[in-house]
Amino acid sequence: MSEPENPSSETVEDVEEELDGEAVEAGDSQAIAAQLMKNPGVLAALQDKLSSIVGSPSGYIQSLPKEVKRRIKALKKLQNEIINVEAEFYKEVNLLELKYAPKYTALFEKRKEVVSAAREPTDEECDWPSDEEEEDEKDEEGKLAPDSQQGELKDKTSLEGAKEAGGDGEEKKAEEDTKGIPSFWLTIFKNVDMLSEMVQEHDEPIMAHLQDIQVVIHDKDPVGFSLEFRFEPNEYFTETVLTKRYEMRYEPDPQDPFAFEGPEIIKCTGCTITWNKGKNVTVKQIKKKQKHKGRGLTRTVTKQVQADSFFNFFNPPAVPEGSESEVDEEIEALLGADFEIGHFIRERIVPRAVLFFTGEAIENDDYDDEENEESSSSDGEDDEYDEDNDPDFNPEAQGKPNECKQQ
């Protein structure tokens, strides 16, 4: 459907004249709203007027007397003090995080032991209701044959016992050979859209060796936190711990104190990965033909370029020293995405890892999104269709769907 072409203010005035003189009671507001929604020209004109107002000063402040402006300065100074108190609050929150960090660490260590097969959980530790197990039990009960057929089944089982027993034995052995929870963290990364975009197919065999992600909070300058990715020894690189450090600012920026909205990440640094020969997935070789200008001869050269890989996460762009204006838009966007990912891993992924592994945390988020989409799509009425203004309208072709034309 094409947009209305430059609706004029006369359209708005026409509706205003229509409504002028009529008593607008409480019950009439819905009718007025419905009338506006039916007229896209009026709605577009109103939106244009609103957009010209939002974000632009009204001029009221400039018209105030000098004494009133003086009082506004006092309010701004008070606002700065409020922000400073807010900064102190967040610093106290950081101290609380440090206080409770050992308790979290002890629980996360138990999780790591189970995931990496360092320890088998006890029956008491496994005592937790599971919807899947209940469904499996119901399925097994449904498969049970009536009593009259039990004898036949036993005879059949006895005849085929050796063959079936061998198969069951192999399956049981495979279950016993499965240690820990295979591909625990890789599954989490593949389940979460924000992270799955980072993980390439050639990263997956490496990520299968990831045993744990730990958060380390730094209470000394530079304050912030580190994400430690702990791998089992593998054929790809020599390190067993890859670290990403984030520096944070808990105080308002002196140059723009009113922009303070809480602690923010201001810098991140990665680590060096010592790749084994032929295993570096962050680079790729490309062949390029070059032609000699004078002789006309061509040669093929091999060039190494950066390849898409999750492990580029440990080689973020450097933040230039100086003001933010010196950071170009591309680097600023990359850093912004990096900061968001680091914060998400710290605040959501690490504390609730098993729920992202099973998909329960993701299902809850998806349900909220779908609910919002339904509510937004169900509001309002269907668009009206005016066949008189449609040059492609064919009375003889009624009943056939018309193709939408995009302009």
Side-chain angles (χ1 to χ4, degrees), residues 107 306 379:
L107 295 171
Q306 187 179 41
D379 292 341

Side-chain angles (χ1 to χ4, degrees), residues 11-12 19 46 62 68 117 154 163 170 183 235-236 264 269 296 308 375:
T11 317
V12 182
L19 298 175
L46 291 175
Q62 288 76 10
V68 177
K154 288 180 180 179
K163 183 178 179 181
E170 291 177 3
S183 301
E235 60 182 298
Y236 296 94
E264 61 176 337
T269 52
D308 291 335
S375 62

Side-chain angles (χ1 to χ4, degrees), residues 184-198:
F184 179 78
W185 291 99
L186 171 59
T187 303
I188 292 173
F189 272 66
K190 293 177 71 174
N191 282 347
V192 180
D193 289 341
M194 181 190 297
L195 304 178
S196 64
E197 294 175 358
M198 303 168 62

